[in-house]
Amino acid sequence: MSGHNVWTHKGTFLLAAVGSAVGLGNLWRFPYLTGENGGGAFILIYALTIFAVGIPILIAETLLGRTSRQSPIMGMRHLTKTHKTSRAWESIGWLGAVSAFLILSFYSVIAGWALHYTWLMLTGSLVGADAQTISDGFDTLLASPSLMTFYHTLFIAASALIVGMGIHKGIESGLRIMMPALFIILMVVLIYGIINGDVGAAANFLFTFNIGDLSLEGWLQAMGQSFFTLSLGMGAIMAYGAYMPSEASLTRTAIAVAFVDTAVAMVAGLAIFSLVFGAGLETGQGPGLMFVTLPLAFAEMPFGALVGGVFFILVLGAAISSSISLIEPVAAFLVERFDMTRPQAVTIMVVAAWAMGLLTVVSFNVWAEGTIFHTLFGRSAFDFIELLTNIFMPLGGLLIALFAGWALTQSEVMKELGTNKTWFKTWRFLVRFVGPAAVSFVFLRTIPQVDGYVIPTLGALFIVGAFALSQRMRVSAS
Ligand code: PFF
């Protein structure tokens, strides 16, 4: 059973968790969300949430993995038995597995776009191209199901290969090469941005805090992003935590993961906006920021094709170190529960996610609009899958916070967390109250008609409900 497996080194969990956390969320999503939501104000809320909600839940999720030493589903089953709580809490594992599967399906398609742009950059196809040509190029990619499926297949197969080789030979070895390389590339891109772009304008944009710039929607998006970027609520961190040696410090590791993840997002933002401002381009381009605005900036700059190619390799590496963490929890479950071999388990997860990914592929072309899907769900399949994960992710985080905060005993938490009582109390307060309250707000953002006073009211109801629920399951709490 993989529960017996432990990472080779004390620091590998940190490497693996950083690998999972740093991904398209940092390099693609964070910059465009910041661009759309007024810069500094967005970053302020994002940083506060990482600190007050992200880190405590990150600790909680790792803790559940390490105490159970099994895949998220089996681990939660074990914990509900040993803590005599309702089996409903097993839903944390199931919800994680479903979200991981859904995220992997579209994550791989978008990483596939990065594969396409790596190729375009390294072959010099975009050198000197004008805005129209580059934007048409992106549209052509989106219009071609076969091209997108081709890249999607390549990316997901590469991820499967790594996980299929096992946690030591595949995941650990892969990360040990990839992660240092990624940091070097990020620095190269930053230096390039500083030399060729307008770093002053970028810093101004990112670090000038004007809270009036931020809409309620932006506020909630910042919280949602902090979950996505730390890979919370999906079982990925729990699965990696199951392999964490007992002597490694949970608190220090979680703070380090959050710090590196945030630093990467800031550096990427600084580099990307330096180039965007340097080329006199717009910041609020949404998801096209990386695939239209940035290639245009590279097209106009010295050595742009080479640095652009290297940049997209960075994006790919960051994406693959995240996608493997989406495969691992489900694969580990299949191995534990059905006694499959690892390659069999990985194949099942990946083939299913690949097939699901085809829905994202066609959402940009043949099923772009007017299909039965639109009639039934009011949006494209891709938008619907993203919406589902936006609901499941905070919900998973909420349940993890409640379970760790209310069901686990003081002695067992202190054994995992260290013996500092003040820190224990602070952490417990954060996961019992602050986390669930904040997550309820994020969660409610996905209800489209929510506006004005409705959010705080529903949020308050949520907290009271969660509190009542927690009291009922507080069987073995100290
Ligand atoms: N944290 C990853 C990113 O920022 O790109 C995305 C992600 C990976 C989310 C793994 C969830 C997860 F389990």
Side-chain angles (χ1 to χ4, degrees), residues 390-431:
N390 276 341
I391 296 172
F392 292 169
M393 222 169 14
L395 192 59
L398 175 73
L399 296 175
I400 286 170
L402 290 176
F403 190 86
W406 295 95
L408 299 183
T409 63
Q410 173 165 346
S411 60
E412 103 194 286
V413 173
M414 284 184 84
K415 187 175 128 247
E416 292 286 340
L417 217 57
T419 45
N420 183 330
K421 252 203 148 153
T422 318
W423 170 230
F424 165 75
K425 283 191 176 149
T426 314
W427 173 81
R428 203 165 63 167
F429 176 73
L430 291 172
V431 286

Side-chain angles (χ1 to χ4, degrees), residues 10-31:
K10 205 170 141 188
T12 308
F13 173 79
L14 176 62
L15 190 73
V18 167
S20 172
V22 172
L24 295 173
N26 304 61
L27 305 172
W28 168 67
R29 209 165 180 239
F30 172 78

Side-chain angles (χ1 to χ4, degrees), residues 168-455:
H168 300 300
K169 277 207 195 119
I171 299 180
E172 270 194 82
S173 314
L175 290 170
R176 212 163 281 140
I177 302 168
M178 264 187 307
M179 298 313 286
L182 294 185
F183 289 110
I184 295 172
I185 297 179
L186 186 62
M187 286 307 138
V188 170
V189 176
L190 176 67
I191 294 169
Y192 178 83
I194 292 174
I195 296 172
N196 292 293
D198 187 346
V199 69
N204 209 5
F205 177 66
L206 291 175
F207 305 120
T208 305
F209 303 111
N210 181 4
I211 212 73
D213 289 344
L214 199 59
S215 62
L216 182 64
E217 176 63 20
W219 212 73
L220 297 169
Q221 271 190 344
M223 293 209 277
Q225 169 63 7
S226 63
F227 266 78
F228 186 81
T229 192
L230 289 179
S231 305
L232 292 180
M234 249 148 308
I237 293 295
M238 213 190 289
Y240 278 175
Y243 310 135
M244 189 182 190
S246 320
E247 66 274 16
S249 160
L250 273 185
T251 307
R252 248 181 285 145
T253 311
I255 292 175
V257 172
F259 178 80
V260 177
D261 185 66
T262 306
V264 170
M266 300 292 168
V267 171
L270 208 54
I272 290 172
F273 287 118
S274 292
L275 295 170
V276 169
F277 283 119
L281 301 170
E282 288 293 314
T283 54
Q285 293 305 299
L289 183 69
M290 175 177 285
F291 299 106
V292 179
T293 315
L294 209 55
L296 183 57
F298 282 126
E300 292 171 359
M301 288 181 182
F303 306 108
L306 180 63
V307 181
V310 169
F311 173 81
F312 279 104
I313 291 176
L314 165 73
V315 176
L316 274 179
I320 215 164
S321 63
S322 298
S323 66
I324 57 179
S325 76
L326 291 164
I327 301 174
E328 178 59 27
V330 180
F333 165 69
L334 294 176
V335 170
E336 279 169 13
R337 178 70 183 77
F338 301 105
D339 238 356
M340 289 183 189
T341 64
R342 181 168 264 270
Q344 282 171 339
V346 170
T347 307
I348 290 178
M349 164 68 167
V350 162
V351 169
W354 175 85
M356 186 78 184
L358 298 180
L359 281 183
T360 293
V361 167
V362 294
S363 295
F364 292 96
N365 34 70
V366 281
W367 278 20
E369 52 202 31
T371 64
I372 176 94
F373 208 99
H374 287 81
T375 321
L376 287 178
F377 300 103
R379 45 177 59 79
S380 75
F382 168 59
D383 287 340
F384 183 68
I385 293 170
E386 222 204 348
L387 177 74
L388 280 186
T389 60
N390 276 341
I391 296 172
F392 292 169
M393 222 169 14
L395 192 59
L398 175 73
L399 296 175
I400 286 170
L402 290 176
F403 190 86
W406 295 95
L408 299 183
T409 63
Q410 173 165 346
S411 60
E412 103 194 286
V413 173
M414 284 184 84
K415 187 175 128 247
E416 292 286 340
L417 217 57
T419 45
N420 183 330
K421 252 203 148 153
T422 318
W423 170 230
F424 165 75
K425 283 191 176 149
T426 314
W427 173 81
R428 203 165 63 167
F429 176 73
L430 291 172
V431 286
R432 280 186 168 182
F433 303 105
V434 180
V439 173
S440 307
F441 288 144
V442 181
F443 183 48
L444 290 164
R445 146 196 171 212
T446 47
I447 301 173
Q449 68 277 24
V450 176
D451 207 354
Y453 292 107
V454 184
I455 286 185

